[in-house]
Every structure is written in C-alpha cells, then in structure tokens.
C-alpha cells in the first residue's frame, strides 16, 4: 500500500485515505518490525495487530492495538516501551510489551509514515512534510520545520544529531543538530521518489526508491551519485549486515553488495513476497514481507520463519522462500 501513495506523489495527484483493507476478516499485511533487545521482536500488521516473540521467533503472541486507522510503522525503545503510527495522525503507545495500547495526541491529522528513536529522542515523518520530534521518550511531540510539503517516507538518525529524511519526488533533507534545522539537498541523481535511507557513519550513506534507484553519498548526504541497479522494481529498504554485506529489498527478492556497498547484484527468492523492511535481530537480518518474515540463514541464503503465519486461518500460507 505504500506504493499506491508514493505513486500518487510521483504523478502529482492526491492519494485518498483508505480504511485498513481486510481488517474485518482478520487478515494481516505486515508493514514494519522492531527488535529492541536480544531475542525480542515485534511485527506490525497494518490492519491493527502486533505479533511479538521473546525467543527469537520460535513462538509468537498476537496482540490487538484496537486501531481503526491503517497502521504504517513502529518503533520500540526497549522490550516494553513502543509506538505505532498510522493514518490521520494516529500514535499509539505501549509500556507493557504490547499488551495494552493507548492513543497519544499529536498536533497533526496527516498520515504518518515512519518513526525512529535514538535513546529517548524520537522522530516521526509523514505526509505534507510533517516531521515530529520527542525529547522525552515519546511522551510529548513537537513539530520540526522542514520547509517542504512533500511526503517524507522515512526518517533515519545515526545518532542524536545526524539525521536524514527522504520521500516523494526525490526529496532529501538532512540535519546535523537533531532536527532543529533541516537542510534541503537538491540532487539531479534523485529522479524518483525515495523509500529508504541508511548511513553507516556520518559520511557514507545509501538511499533507494522507485524504478530501481540506488544512490550513494560520501559526504554526509550533501551530494549523491547513482549506482547501477540490476532491477527496475521498487526498492524498499537498505541495510548492512554484520559481515559488511549490503542488502536491499524489493518485490521479488533482494539485492546484495559484497564490496561494502560499491556494487549490487540480484538475489532472487522462490515466490513474490513484496519485501518492504530490513531489520537487525541479534546477529542476523530479518526481512518483512506482506505476509511472511524471512531470516538470513547463511551467507546469501534466506529462509522463512515458519512459526509466524499470520494469515493461516484465511488459507493464505505461502510457500517457504530460499535465496539462491
């Protein structure tokens, strides 16, 4: 569903707010995940449920947030304190590992797209250039000035000062003061909407997005260079593993870099899972798909976490995936 809204941004039209598809039938389209401490992980269904594990994915527990809006992203500060964001300015908070969720009021009704924390400092990005900041562990939030009305798809902070947010129509913003000021970066290389940004240190970063777009920066995001992409699909997430391999997700599988992000090649999987999110869980990476979670098994291989089948009751139990 991210693609529907982002494509609307590319075409310069308005995306209408929709109800959470399938909410009535109990279906789960996984949109995000968080792994705050060792062996503990949470996955988010846009229809309102959160699945949690405390044993590295061996067993899972389903919790309902009670949300009636479409949910889009989540973040946890520790094993118990977490946040979920969604449409029309929705922010939900838990302090007991997802057993109970309470609404936290925000000064916006825009759709919210991403949330991240560095310690007790948090940021939320959204439609119409909305960027919110919390300095107290998510208890209160204030708007930061971005100077754009483009949708900000994602926000990433390397530390409490250095952050980047990217979005529709090649929008790139960076800050070196925790978001007190945001600098617009004009880049001819950013020709399409951007979905994900990741920096390994204050200088070296990557962005990915629509039409197979991969961009790299060596100067903290002030300038960007195009990297060759082996696919032209929608690239959704970029992250590096503990072996210095870079990974990018897209509909049909992964791209991998085995030279520290210098070049990329395709690693297809058996099946199409609409992969949209990478995260570190303990010493490996997980990839979130529409109805599956894949785990980095060994080297370039990925296997499905069989214990989590959120749509089993609907007969939607996809075939396990293996990377080649």
């Amino acid at each position: 569903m991210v693609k529907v809204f982002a494509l609307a941004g590319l075409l310069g039209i308005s995306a209408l707010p929709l109800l959470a598809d399938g909410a009535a039938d109990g279906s789960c389209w996984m949109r995000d995940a968080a792994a705050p401490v060792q062996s503990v992980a949470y996955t988010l269904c846009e229809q309102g449920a959160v699945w949690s594990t405390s044993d590295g994915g061996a067993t899972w527990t389903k919790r309902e947030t009670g949300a009636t809006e479409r949910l889009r992203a989540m973040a946890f500060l520790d094993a118990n304190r977490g946040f979920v964001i969604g449409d029309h300015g929705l922010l939900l908070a838990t302090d007991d590992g997802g057993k109970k969720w309470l609404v936290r009021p925000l000064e916006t009704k825009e759709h919210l797209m991403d949330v991240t924390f560095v310690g007790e400092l948090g940021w939320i990005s959204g439609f119409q250039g909305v960027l919110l900041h919390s300095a107290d562990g998510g208890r209160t939030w204030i708007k930061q000035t971005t100077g754009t009305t483009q949708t900000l798809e994602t926000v990433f902070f390397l530390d409490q000062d250095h952050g980047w947010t990217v979005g529709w129509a090649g929008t790139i913003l960076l800050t070196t003061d925790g978001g007190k000021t945001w600098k617009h970066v004009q880049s001819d290389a950013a020709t399409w909407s951007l979905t994900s940004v990741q920096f390994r240190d204050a200088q070296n970063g990557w962005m990915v997005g629509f039409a197979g777009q991969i961009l790299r920066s060596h100067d903290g995001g002030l300038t960007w260079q195009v990297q060759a992409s082996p696919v032209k699909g929608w690239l959704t997430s970029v992250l590096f593993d503990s072996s210095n391999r870079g990974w990018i997700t897209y509909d049909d599988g992964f791209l991998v870099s085995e030279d520290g992000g210098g070049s990329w090649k395709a690693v297809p999987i058996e099946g199409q899972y609409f992969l949209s999110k990478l995260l570190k869980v303990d010493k490996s990476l997980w990839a979130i798909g529409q109805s599956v979670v894949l785990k980095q098994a060994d080297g370039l291989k990925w296997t499905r976490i069989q214990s989590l089948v959120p749509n089993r009751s609907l007969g939607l139990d996809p075939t396990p995936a293996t990377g080649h």
Side-chain angles (χ1 to χ4, degrees), residues 12-297:
I13 61 177
S14 296
L16 297 176
L18 302 173
L19 293 176
D21 296 340
D25 61 15
S27 62
C28 173
W29 291 357
M30 284 188 285
R31 289 293 300 269
D32 203 358
V37 297
Q38 186 174 3
S39 298
V40 175
Y42 299 87
T43 65
L44 174 69
C45 300
E46 73 170 38
Q47 289 87 350
V50 172
W51 290 84
S52 64
T53 179
S54 58
D55 53 18
T59 59
W60 294 85
T61 301
K62 182 182 180 182
R63 306 287 187 185
E64 294 292 344
T65 64
T68 57
E69 299 285 356
R70 183 188 305 278
L71 302 181
R72 296 178 180 272
M74 73 188 315
F76 271 75
L77 287 76
D78 52 42
N80 294 312
R81 294 183 296 156
F83 297 89
V84 166
I85 60 171
D87 285 359
H88 299 105
L90 178 65
L91 174 65
L92 301 175
T94 182
D95 60 6
D96 59 6
K99 296 181 180 67
K100 293 183 296 184
W101 294 88
L102 298 175
V103 175
R104 293 275 176 89
L106 295 177
E107 294 182 7
T108 183
K109 294 300 180 183
E110 298 294 343
H111 296 342
L112 304 177
M113 300 299 290
D114 195 21
V115 54
T116 190
F117 276 85
V118 175
E120 298 294 306
L121 305 179
W123 291 266
I124 295 173
S125 66
F127 275 35
Q128 292 295 313
V130 164
L131 201 61
L132 306 171
H133 173 57
S134 175
D136 56 10
R139 288 185 291 274
T140 61
W141 297 81
I142 61 172
K143 286 186 177 181
Q144 293 187 328
T145 301
T146 62
T148 183
T149 57
Q150 293 289 347
T151 291
L152 300 174
E153 283 268 356
T154 187
V155 56
F156 170 80
F157 270 76
L158 182 68
D159 52 40
Q160 64 181 9
D161 294 318
H162 296 86
W164 299 262
T165 181
V166 301
W168 291 3
T171 301
I172 306 168
L173 287 76
L174 66 85
T175 181
T176 57
D177 58 11
K180 296 182 179 67
T181 58
W182 287 92
K183 176 182 176 62
H184 284 249
V185 176
Q186 299 296 327
S187 175
D188 293 337
T191 55
W192 298 100
S193 288
L194 300 162
T195 310
S196 178
V197 58
Q198 179 80 195
F199 272 75
R200 303 196 68 189
D201 53 50
Q203 298 300 314
N204 295 287
W206 288 260
M207 300 188 301
V208 299
F210 183 71
Q213 186 171 222
I214 307 174
L215 305 178
R216 181 176 184 175
S217 176
H218 296 278
D219 58 9
L222 293 173
T223 61
W224 294 88
Q225 298 79 45
V226 176
Q227 291 190 303
S229 173
V231 300
K232 296 302 179 185
W234 200 299
L235 308 183
T236 53
S237 183
V238 55
L239 193 62
F240 284 78
D241 65 23
S242 58
S243 298
N244 198 36
R245 283 185 295 257
W247 292 93
I248 295 172
T249 51
Y250 72 108
D251 280 0
D252 297 325
F254 301 89
L255 305 183
V256 66
S257 172
E258 297 185 275
D259 57 7
S263 60
W264 301 85
K265 65 180 181 180
V267 181
I269 57 176
E270 297 174 356
Q272 187 178 50
Y273 297 111
F274 303 100
L275 300 177
S276 61
K277 180 76 174 184
L278 287 162
L279 75 154
K280 293 182 179 179
V281 181
D282 298 337
K283 296 182 180 180
S284 69
L285 296 187
W286 286 12
I288 308 303
Q290 182 171 297
S291 58
V292 299
V293 177
L294 306 182
K295 182 178 181 179
Q296 188 180 20

